[in-house]
Amino acid sequence: MESKKVHRISIAVFFVLVLALLYFRVGEGGSSIWPKGRVSGDSNQRLVMGTFARIVAVAMDREVAIACMEAGFAELEAVDESMSDYKAGSELSRLNAEGFRVAVSVSDALFEVLERSVEYSKKSGGGFDVTVGAIVDLFRGAKEKGERPTEEEIAAAKEKVGYEKLVLDREKKTVRFAVDGMRIDLGGIAKGYAIDEAILAMKKGGAIGGMVDVGGDIRCFGAPGKGKDVWLVGLQDPSVEKDDMGPGKYLLVLKLADAAIATSGDYRRFVMVDGEKYSHIITPSSGEGAKKLSSVTIISKTAIDADALATSVSVLGAEKGLELIEGERQAEAILITPGPEYEIIKSSGAEKYLHGKY
Ligand code: AMP
Ligand code: MG
C-alpha cells in the first residue's frame, strides 16, 4: 500500500500564475529499449478544437508515421464536428436544441461521452456536470454585457442544470432532457475523449509510439522520437517568459510513458465582468465560478480520465479533490492553490512522475 500522505511544498509566487504544459523530449543516452532506425513525424502546431494541437507519431517507416499523424488529426476533427457547442450544425447543438421536446438519437461516440460524463458526475458528487451549459451561457452573456448575472438569473439557470435530469437510453442510443432549457457543454471532457481516439487511430495505423497534445492536454504512448527514451512534459514556470522557455526553466518536469496529463485552471481561461475575474469552470451547486484552486494537473492512464478529473477537482477544491484522486488507482494530482502565497500540493503517488533533471 502506498502512503496516503500528501506532500506539501510551499512556494511563494508574486505574479499572476500562468501554468501551461509544454511538451518536449530529451535523450537519456545509451540505454534505449526502443528499436533503432525509428522515425517520427511531427505536425507542429495546428488549430483544432478552438486551440492548438500537436501530434508526434513514431514508426519504423516515414510514410507510416505521417499517415498516423494525419489519422490522429482526423479523429480530433471528427470529435470537434460532433461535440462542439460553438458549431451550430454539430450533433451536440442539435441535441441541445431538441433534447427537451423529443428523445434525440445520437452517435455512439456522443452517447459514450455522455455516459462517461455521468460517471464522473457521480464520482465527484455532482462537481463535474456537463449539463452546466445554462450557467456557462449566462456568464458568457454577462461578459458581453459587462454585467454580473443577478441572483435571480443564476437561480433560474441552476434549475436547468443537473446530470440526474439527463435521460440516457442505452438500448435506443437516445438522449432526452427532463427539464426545458437544459444545455450540454462538453468543454470539460471532449478534448480528453478526442485525444484517446486519436491515440487509438495511431496505434491502429502502425505507430510504435506517439504523443497527442490538444491545448496542453497530452497523452503519449510507446517509443518516443529517435534517440530518446522517455516522453517528458514540462509544467511552465510562471516566472519565465514564454520566449525564454527551455531546459532548466520549468516549474516541474514530468516523465510519462503510456500516460495522459490534463490541466484545468482559471489562469488560462476566465471571464472578466465589470473588472472582476470569473472562472470558466462552474460550481454546479452554487452556480458560481470555481475559485478554490488556481491550477489542477491530473496524470492518468487515459486522456478522458485526466480531463474530466482535472475539471472535477477544480470544482471540489484541494481537500475533497485529493480524496477523490487518492481513491482512483491510476490517477495522481498536482494542485496549485490560489495566490498570493501559492502552495503546490501533490497526491501520494505523484512523485514517481517527477523527472530528476531539468
Ligand atoms: P477544462 O478546461 O477541461 O477544465 O474544462 C472547462 C470547461 O468545461 C468550461 O469551459 C465549460 O465548457 C465546461 N465546464 C464548466 N464547468 C463545468 C463543470 N462543473 N463540469 C463539467 N464541465 C464544466
Ligand atoms: Mg477537463
Side-chain angles (χ1 to χ4, degrees):
M1 278 287 282
E2 261 179 329
S3 145
K4 291 276 167 213
K5 190 168 137 257
V6 171
H7 302 270
R8 284 166 188 263
I9 309 167
S10 284
I11 55 156
V13 188
F14 300 105
F15 27 67
V16 180
L17 192 78
V18 183
L19 184 92
L21 290 168
L22 276 220
Y23 148 81
F24 64 100
R25 296 163 285 145
V26 293
E28 295 284 88
S31 64
S32 185
I33 53 165
W34 304 109
K36 283 199 172 69
R38 65 192 191 270
V39 289
S40 55
D42 185 339
S43 70
N44 294 314
Q45 306 286 6
R46 284 191 205 172
L47 208 53
V48 192
M49 302 188 91
T51 185
F52 285 102
R54 179 182 178 192
I55 296 184
V56 176
V58 182
M60 295 310 289
D61 177 299
R62 175 141 211 92
E63 250 135 60
V64 173
I66 289 169
C68 286
M69 217 169 64
E70 295 307 330
F73 274 107
E75 292 297 328
L76 298 183
E77 268 148 22
V79 172
D80 192 32
E81 279 303 311
S82 154
M83 300 183 200
S84 165
D85 63 332
Y86 284 99
K87 294 191 169 157
S90 74
E91 202 186 355
L92 181 64
S93 296
R94 196 170 57 81
L95 170 62
N96 279 336
E98 297 182 356
F100 177 64
R101 230 171 23 85
V102 289
V104 178
S105 294
V106 299
S107 63
D108 288 354
L110 180 53
F111 195 87
E112 187 191 337
V113 171
L114 291 172
E115 257 191 350
R116 297 296 308 273
S117 296
V118 171
E119 242 176 66
Y120 290 107
S121 292
K122 289 180 179 161
K123 246 182 208 182
S124 62
F128 184 87
D129 194 331
V130 295
T131 70
V132 83
I135 306 175
V136 172
D137 286 351
L138 192 63
F139 278 93
R140 280 185 195 155
K143 183 187 173 190
E144 268 151 39
K145 283 193 283 183
E147 275 171 35
R148 197 194 133 75
T150 64
E151 294 300 321
E152 291 74 31
E153 284 173 322
I154 292 176
K158 266 174 65 182
E159 292 292 314
K160 300 168 188 165
V161 175
Y163 67 94
E164 67 292 341
K165 298 171 194 158
L166 186 64
V167 187
L168 303 179
D169 188 325
R170 194 155 224 269
E171 294 276 290
K172 297 191 187 129
K173 289 272 158 63
T174 60
V175 184
R176 179 152 198 177
F177 303 159
V179 59
D180 198 3
M182 178 179 267
R183 286 183 61 80
I184 307 271
D185 178 336
L186 296 176
I189 193 167
K191 266 196 289 178
Y193 175 77
I195 292 169
D196 289 338
E197 290 299 296
I199 292 277
L200 202 64
M202 287 163 72
K203 285 181 176 173
K204 271 192 199 153
I208 58 166
M211 188 273 324
V212 179
D213 171 355
V214 183
D217 289 359
I218 297 171
R219 180 171 166 186
C220 47
F221 75 97
K226 203 171 178 182
K228 330 282 180 192
D229 272 1
V230 286
W231 296 96
L232 294 185
V233 173
L235 268 65
Q236 191 180 315
D237 184 327
S239 67
V240 177
E241 290 293 322
K242 217 171 169 220
D243 295 344
D244 203 21
M245 281 293 164
K249 305 281 175 66
Y250 298 93
L251 187 65
L252 291 172
V253 176
L254 305 170
K255 52 174 190 279
L256 303 181
D258 294 305
I261 186 162
T263 298
S264 287
D266 64 4
Y267 57 88
R268 280 200 309 194
R269 284 164 59 205
F270 54 83
V271 181
M272 287 299 284
V273 184
D274 209 7
E276 222 182 309
K277 190 173 152 183
Y278 290 95
S279 169
H280 66 290
I281 301 171
I282 304 293
T283 301
S285 58
S286 67
E288 302 280 348
K291 42 180 173 258
K292 288 182 179 156
L293 291 165
S294 167
S295 155
V296 174
T297 295
I298 302 288
I299 306 152
S300 194
K301 206 74 192 154
T302 62
I304 193 171
D305 207 40
D307 190 1
L309 288 175
T311 309
S312 305
V313 174
S314 294
V315 173
L316 296 178
E319 200 180 322
K320 284 199 175 142
L322 275 178
E323 225 173 85
L324 170 64
I325 297 305
E326 296 292 356
E328 294 288 297
R329 219 160 34 87
Q330 295 182 324
E332 298 299 340
I334 300 168
L335 317 178
I336 300 182
T337 62
E341 278 276 312
Y342 293 93
E343 200 185 350
I344 301 183
I345 305 173
K346 302 197 201 90
S347 63
S348 58
E351 296 286 334
K352 65 176 173 283
Y353 292 106
L354 297 186
H355 188 65
K357 288 186 275 175
Y358 282 81

